[in-house]
Amino acid sequence: MAIATAIAICSSPSQYSPAISSLQTIPSLKTLNHPLVLLPPSPSSASELVSDDAWVAAAAANTVALASAAVEAARAAVWAAREGGEEEGGGRRVVRVRRKRRRGVEALGMVERWDAEGAREVSFGAASSRVLTPREEAEFCLCLKEGAGLEAARRGISGTRGHEPTSNQWAKAVGMKRRSLDKMLCNRRESQERINRSYRKLVVSIAASYQGRGLSLQDLIQEGSIGLLRGAERFDPDRGYKLSTYVYWWIRQAIVRAIASKSRIIRLPGSICQMVAKIAEARTVLSRRLRRLPTYDEIAEFIDVNVSTVRLISEKSRTPISIDQSVTSQGCMTLQEIMPGPDETTPEKMVKRQLMKQEVERALNTLCEREANILRLYFGLNGETPLSFEEIGKLMKLSRERVRQINSIALSKLRQTSLVDCLKLYNM
């Protein structure tokens, strides 16, 4: 009843103006030293009933106001605790962020300090998968750039000295102490981990769109993470862009290049990979339009290239098949067992070839050593590529004409021997 009376008073002040004017003399709850006792209204007097109801309404309104003020004070304290503060002194600047639990993940801030040597040190809290703030993006990317500079210096030292430098040599080359070098390398590793955790969903979403092109999803995510870190090293926060917008294209580029170079057993050039994708797309479109498999001429006309190019790429871009692949569903027979080999692999051919080599060696033994060597080099009898007279002359320090003369003399001697008739039998 008291609350209803208070609402009525607030909604129509003209109707209860006498009661409201009398409320000015009612003390507030802060000044009351005795407990508040609410007595039931007496039915003897209507004016006393209105006065008691008005007094109760004023007390309720004062209580609500005190509760609202307490809520606002608590809310302001919470915001002040979240925003934190900055403290300067003792050669260090600390940025503290209160612990905040979001979906069961504890996220801490980072602490930035400078040591006595002027080197910057960044300490990270517990790694989380939350989105990084612009300040954190700039800080982490700066750590990556510093680490990339140190790695470039290390590679330069390795190329100059021919071996990996020690930590002391590395620190001396970059002009800092070993402790500062270790701190910068540790900051780089922590920054890489935080960036990978924060933008893992972006990498997965991009990698998922390239499935079915020769690499598994895990490999695509790994290549995308490498592109993410490569783009973060080149990110410039002063231009006003977000890190996620900038590294998107670096992630895509890393994934596309990985598919082009690692999806096949036999690597194809980048231009050929693009042409393979165009031919596959044209074949799909034409098959749907013509309701049959298109010919090479139709594909070449559709993508405006030569027919020979389409035929060559289509034949050479086929996926290799393992000869150990089972032919039947039971797996008892492999492709190697039923696939015929060349004629030289038959036992008869192998024996005939071995006997012919023995007869050739017997014929060459009838010549002098220089004549036999020239014949072996000229005809490639030693299993190597045949050489010209000029190349043989450079090896044996003879003129081209002299080598030709020795070759003619050696062949004339072989024609006069009886072993030539035995060699003629192998040509029949």
Side-chain angles (χ1 to χ4, degrees), residues 230-282:
R230 189 182 297 118
E233 291 180 0
R234 294 165 174 78
F235 176 66
D236 186 7
D238 297 334
R239 295 189 176 183
Y241 299 104
K242 296 180 64 177
L243 180 60
S244 58
T245 305
Y246 181 76
V247 300
Y248 176 84
W249 302 105
W250 286 92
I251 296 172
R252 285 192 57 184
Q253 183 190 60
I255 293 176
V256 170
R257 289 184 177 180
I259 292 174
S261 59
K262 301 179 181 180
S263 60
R264 295 176 176 270
I265 299 177
I266 302 174
R267 182 183 178 276
L268 298 178
S271 59
I272 300 299
C273 291
Q274 296 178 1
M275 187 61 65
V276 169
K278 290 183 180 179
I279 292 175
E281 183 179 0

Side-chain angles (χ1 to χ4, degrees), residues 354-365:
Q354 188 67 26
L355 293 176
M356 185 174 61
K357 286 183 179 181
Q358 295 177 2
E359 293 294 335
V360 170
E361 287 295 329
R362 288 178 55 190
L364 292 177
N365 291 334

